[in-house]
């Protein structure tokens, strides 16, 4: 097996991975960064529309802290929320504006154009029109791609974290505290398994939206990081807090196009197909009520009226010129789907959007496993509590990407490669990469996504969750046996990770009998 070594191994190339890689290189560390698809496009970061929290007029860290904790249904960890609220501006100025020169939209007076989203008490979100994530992903990659300290490995999928008590040849290492040494990685183009070792590993592998039938996440979001972390023995928490975005474009595609909350921030209103303004019945914040409330209200109206979607009306509230200027990507994408948003309402439905839980980490991004850090959607700093405040996720990824490197550079003596660690290689044979019948893979995904959408979705009960868990366990056993001879095929690895992640979510949801934020029990 080919071996690669670096000071730091970063798994994932969204904003968390790329900012960590940048700060690592700036501090003199060599970095290998692996990503299973395209470096820039295959991450949730790339698809973020609305923006990133900066600071508004008459804003303060205390006011942001209050908004995050209240959106998070009072389950957010105050210490980490305060870190985000006080350090966020520094990281945006230093990395995104200063070094990566990201072109955030300005108003006519040359100031940042601040937008509003649900549950924010002031306008404090900066954006790059309606494709903020794309601007950030491109900007960060432009900045770091020529850095000699950083090596990119695209189309490289993490198979497993290398952990002493599982992968060391030294039998007695089971008595040592768990410690990560790197990762087994599949080069999906060359169909080859490689070993990456490092002094520290940063798991920034993003989200899991593809386990649900409807999601705003790209096809790459299959929950690989959560499954890998669980197999390595990391603690994973708050996985029942699955955030559904209220407004995804109603089109039949595996990853649905997001209709940013920023439209509602600019006045767009939700209405039934027969033009009834229903949100006032559900919450005083109406269309800008917290996300979970809006998503459930939409679902209820759809069920009650037997409608396949609801309408989001922007054309009655904003002049056509402004709509096109502020939301060029949404305007263009809807037009490609034969909807002119300057003249007619947009058909929308809720879709899975973001997981608030993840690998439990502390204020420096440290997991419970030595030398394993995590940042971004894969991690849980506790900031999002039971429901994430809009536009906090890019900021959390950026700040924790930076803080992990700050911690490592201030504690270099703790981060040494363990040269006594002899890794047991994975046994492979060439047939393990052979092509798999796509009909089987497709059907397994469809089973998984339906179970999750129907039983572990917007509303939950003991009966639904128990049924989901039983179905998922038998799906998992079947997959394990059926694909045993092809287990290092990318399709199989992703599918297994997805089912394992779905089981983690379902177990957490079953255990937590109290409705809170995005976890809504109807029993
Ligand atoms: C949106 O643009 O509505 C998404 C923002 C977010 O999820 O933070």
């Amino acid at each position: 097996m080919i071996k690669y070594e670096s000071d730091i191994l970063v798994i994932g190339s969204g904003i968390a991975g790329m900012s960590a890689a940048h700060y690592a290189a700036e501090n003199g560390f060599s970095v290998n960064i692996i990503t299973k698809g395209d470096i820039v496009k295959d991450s949730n970061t790339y698809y973020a529309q609305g923006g990133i929290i900066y600071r508004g007029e008459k804003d303060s860290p205390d006011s942001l802290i209050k908004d995050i904790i209240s959106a998070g249904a009072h389950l957010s960890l105050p210490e980490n929320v305060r870190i985000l609220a006080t350090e966020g501006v520094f990281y945006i100025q230093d990395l995104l504006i200063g070094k990566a020169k990201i072109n955030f939209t300005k108003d006519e007076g040359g100031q940042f154009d601040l937008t509003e989203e649900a549950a924010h008490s002031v306008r404090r979100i900066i954006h790059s029109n309606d494709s903020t994530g794309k601007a950030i992903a491109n900007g960060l990659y432009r900045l770091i791609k020529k850095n000699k300290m950083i090596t990119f490995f695209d189309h490289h999928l993490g198979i497993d974290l290398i952990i002493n008590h599982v992968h060391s040849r030294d039998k007695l290492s089971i008595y040592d505290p768990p410690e990560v040494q790197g990762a087994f990685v599949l080069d999906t183009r060359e169909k080859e398994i490689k070993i990456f070792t490092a002094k520290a590993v940063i798991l920034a592998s993003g989200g899991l939206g593809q386990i649900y039938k409807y999601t705003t996440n790209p096809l790459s979001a299959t929950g690989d990081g959560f499954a890998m972390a669980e197999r390595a023995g990391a603690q994973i928490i708050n996985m029942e807090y699955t955030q559904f975005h209220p407004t995804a474009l109603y089109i039949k595609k595996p990853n649905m196009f997001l209709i940013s909350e920023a439209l509602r921030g600019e006045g767009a209103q939700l209405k039934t197909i027969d033009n009834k303004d229903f949100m006032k019945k559900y919450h005083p914040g109406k269309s800008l009520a917290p996300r979970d409330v809006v998503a459930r209200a939409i679902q209820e109206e759809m069920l009650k009226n037997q409608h396949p979607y609801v309408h989001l009306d922007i054309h009655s509230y904003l002049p056509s010129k402004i709509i096109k200027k502020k939301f060029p990507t949404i305007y263009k994408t809807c037009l490609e789907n034969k909807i002119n948003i300057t003249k007619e309402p947009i058909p929308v439905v809720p879709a899975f959007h973001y997981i608030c839980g993840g690998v439990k980490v502390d204020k420096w991004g440290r997991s419970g496993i030595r030398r394993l850090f995590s940042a971004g959607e894969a991690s849980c700093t506790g900031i999002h509590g039971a429901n994430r405040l809009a536009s906090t996720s890019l900021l959390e990824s950026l700040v924790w990407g930076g803080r992990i490197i700050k911690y490592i550079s201030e504690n270099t003596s703790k981060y040494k490669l363990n040269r006594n660690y002899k890794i047991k290689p994975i046994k492979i044979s060439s047939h393990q990469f052979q092509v798999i019948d796509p009909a089987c893979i497709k059907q397994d995904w469809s089973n998984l996504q339906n179970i999750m959408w129907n039983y572990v979705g917007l509303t939950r009960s003991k009966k639904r969750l128990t049924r989901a868990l039983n179905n998922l366990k038998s799906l998992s056993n079947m997959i394990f046996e059926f694909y045993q001879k092809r287990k290092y095929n990318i399709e199989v690895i992703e599918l297994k990770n997805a089912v394992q992640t779905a089981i983690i979510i379902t177990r957490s949801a079953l255990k937590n009998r109290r409705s809170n934020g995005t976890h809504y029990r109807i029993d």
Side-chain angles (χ1 to χ4, degrees):
M1 272 180 203
I2 309 180
K3 289 194 182 142
Y4 296 87
E5 190 179 305
S6 58
D7 292 326
I8 293 175
L9 170 64
V10 178
I11 302 178
S13 62
I15 179 171
M18 286 215 255
S19 30
H22 161 77
Y23 284 113
E26 199 177 71
N27 280 275
F29 298 118
S30 61
V31 181
N32 283 333
I33 175 163
I34 62 159
T35 185
K36 73 172 176 181
D38 180 86
I39 289 162
V40 176
K41 292 189 185 144
D42 285 318
S43 71
N44 273 351
T45 298
Y46 187 81
Y47 293 88
Q49 291 180 2
I52 180 166
I53 291 172
Y54 188 52
R55 112 183 117 194
E57 277 174 38
K58 301 204 183 104
D59 199 3
S60 67
D62 283 340
S63 146
L64 175 57
I65 292 167
K66 215 164 134 219
D67 289 350
I68 292 176
I69 291 179
S70 142
H74 296 272
L75 193 70
S76 302
L77 184 62
E79 185 192 5
N80 286 351
V81 176
R82 179 160 292 282
I83 290 172
L84 185 86
T86 49
E87 296 186 7
V89 168
F90 163 77
Y91 281 104
I92 291 184
Q93 286 175 347
D94 182 59
L95 184 53
L96 301 189
I97 299 173
K99 292 167 184 155
K101 313 240 173 297
I102 286 152
N103 198 0
F104 291 110
T105 305
K106 301 229 168 102
D107 62 19
E108 276 151 19
Q111 303 299 315
F112 287 128
D113 177 51
L114 300 170
T115 63
E116 189 173 347
E117 287 180 313
H120 282 276
S121 54
V122 294
R123 284 182 172 257
R124 55 162 76 97
I125 298 160
I126 52 171
H127 61 103
S128 186
N129 286 327
D130 57 353
S131 49
T132 311
K134 187 171 169 184
I136 291 177
N138 280 324
L140 285 176
Y141 185 52
R142 244 189 343 260
L143 173 72
I144 65 177
K145 72 178 174 194
K146 293 205 183 91
N147 193 319
K148 294 220 160 37
M149 300 299 284
I150 304 174
T151 311
F152 289 93
F153 295 84
D154 58 347
H155 299 277
H156 278 62
L157 166 68
I159 299 172
D160 259 318
L161 293 167
I162 300 171
I163 190 93
N164 50 342
H165 55 83
V166 185
H167 302 113
S168 171
R169 281 185 191 280
D170 174 7
K171 289 195 186 103
L172 296 185
S173 72
I174 49 165
Y175 300 109
D176 295 335
E179 180 171 34
V180 78
Q181 175 81 350
F184 292 111
V185 174
L186 173 68
D187 177 339
T188 60
R189 282 192 291 220
E190 297 301 322
K191 307 221 182 321
E192 194 178 351
I193 296 180
K194 302 175 173 176
I195 291 179
F196 283 72
T197 54
K199 294 174 183 165
V201 176
I202 303 175
L203 187 67
S205 46
L208 53 80
Q210 286 301 321
I211 69 170
Y212 281 95
K213 186 170 180 183
Y214 303 112
T215 180
T216 59
N217 293 187
L219 292 173
S220 54
T222 52
D224 307 303
F226 307 97
M228 268 199 291
E230 191 188 51
R231 291 194 292 270
Q235 195 184 354
I236 300 180
I237 59 164
N238 285 2
M239 293 296 276
E240 67 271 43
Y241 301 115
T242 50
Q243 186 173 68
F244 294 84
H245 198 287
T247 58
L249 181 61
Y250 177 72
I251 41 170
K252 290 190 176 104
K253 293 219 173 125
N255 53 329
M256 302 176 81
F257 181 72
L258 178 69
I259 304 293
S260 174
E261 205 156 275
L263 268 81
R264 281 175 282 134
E266 296 302 321
Q269 297 296 325
L270 286 158
K271 295 172 182 173
T272 57
I273 295 179
D274 44 6
N275 211 26
K276 294 202 180 83
D277 182 356
F278 60 89
M279 272 312 299
K280 56 181 182 246
K281 281 193 304 205
Y282 293 91
H283 195 276
K286 298 187 205 160
S287 291
L288 261 192
R291 245 175 222 188
D292 58 315
V293 177
V294 183
R296 281 194 301 271
I298 293 176
Q299 193 192 37
E300 200 170 316
E301 290 296 317
M302 282 165 49
L303 282 173
K304 199 171 69 192
N305 304 317
Q306 295 288 303
H307 290 165
Y309 51 82
V310 296
H311 277 156
L312 182 67
D313 177 357
I314 180 93
H315 73 282
S316 310
Y317 303 94
L318 267 194
S320 148
K321 214 170 114 196
I322 310 274
I323 296 177
K324 286 188 202 163
K325 185 163 174 249
K326 279 196 180 271
F327 304 110
T329 315
I330 295 176
Y331 171 72
K332 189 170 151 271
T333 308
C334 288
L335 211 53
E336 282 162 12
N337 287 281
K338 308 202 173 9
I339 303 153
N340 184 342
I341 69 168
T342 65
K343 296 204 168 96
E344 58 191 324
I346 313 168
V348 292
V349 285
F352 175 87
H353 188 55
Y354 189 88
I355 182 78
C356 300
V359 177
K360 186 180 172 198
V361 294
D362 67 3
K363 63 181 176 179
W364 295 109
R366 290 179 299 180
S367 74
I369 295 178
R370 284 189 183 173
R371 302 200 277 134
L372 177 66
F373 294 79
S374 183
E377 195 168 348
S379 70
C380 181
T381 58
I383 287 175
H384 308 310
N387 190 14
R388 181 180 62 93
L389 180 69
S391 291
T392 44
S393 42
L394 292 174
L395 188 64
E396 183 205 40
S397 303
L398 173 72
V399 172
W400 258 256
R403 285 180 66 84
I404 288 172
I405 301 306
K406 187 168 184 326
Y407 182 84
I408 296 175
S409 51
E410 285 169 4
N411 294 277
T412 45
S413 59
K414 289 190 190 163
Y415 295 94
K416 296 210 164 70
L417 203 61
N418 182 354
R419 303 228 174 251
N420 297 324
Y421 199 123
K422 297 275 177 287
I423 300 167
K424 275 193 262 176
I426 295 183
K427 289 200 185 91
I428 32 169
S429 57
S430 57
H431 63 69
Q432 274 169 337
F433 298 114
Q434 277 166 14
V435 178
I436 292 180
D437 181 356
C440 297
I441 293 279
K442 195 164 172 238
Q443 182 58 37
D444 292 336
W445 271 105
S446 160
N447 285 346
L448 167 65
Q449 291 167 336
N450 278 304
I451 296 169
M452 292 305 285
W453 186 257
N454 292 322
Y455 301 146
V456 200
L458 280 154
T459 54
R460 295 151 183 194
S461 67
K462 186 174 174 197
K463 262 196 192 138
R464 291 184 190 174
L465 293 167
T466 310
R467 199 163 176 186
L469 192 57
N470 291 336
N471 290 350
L472 289 168
K473 280 186 194 159
S474 48
L475 184 62
S476 168
N477 290 341
M478 191 277 289
I479 286 170
F480 189 84
E481 274 174 32
F482 188 78
Y483 298 111
Q484 183 59 10
K485 292 206 171 122
R486 304 275 185 279
K487 67 178 175 197
Y488 294 117
N489 210 301
I490 177 167
E491 282 93 357
V492 176
I493 297 175
E494 285 184 328
L495 182 61
K496 278 187 172 170
N497 286 339
V499 177
Q500 187 179 339
T501 305
I503 291 176
I504 301 175
I505 292 179
T506 309
R507 282 211 171 105
S508 307
L510 201 49
K511 236 190 271 161
N512 187 350
R513 288 169 33 196
R514 210 170 66 88
S515 287
N516 197 18
T518 55
H519 176 57
Y520 195 79
R521 301 271 308 224
I522 51 170
D523 50 358

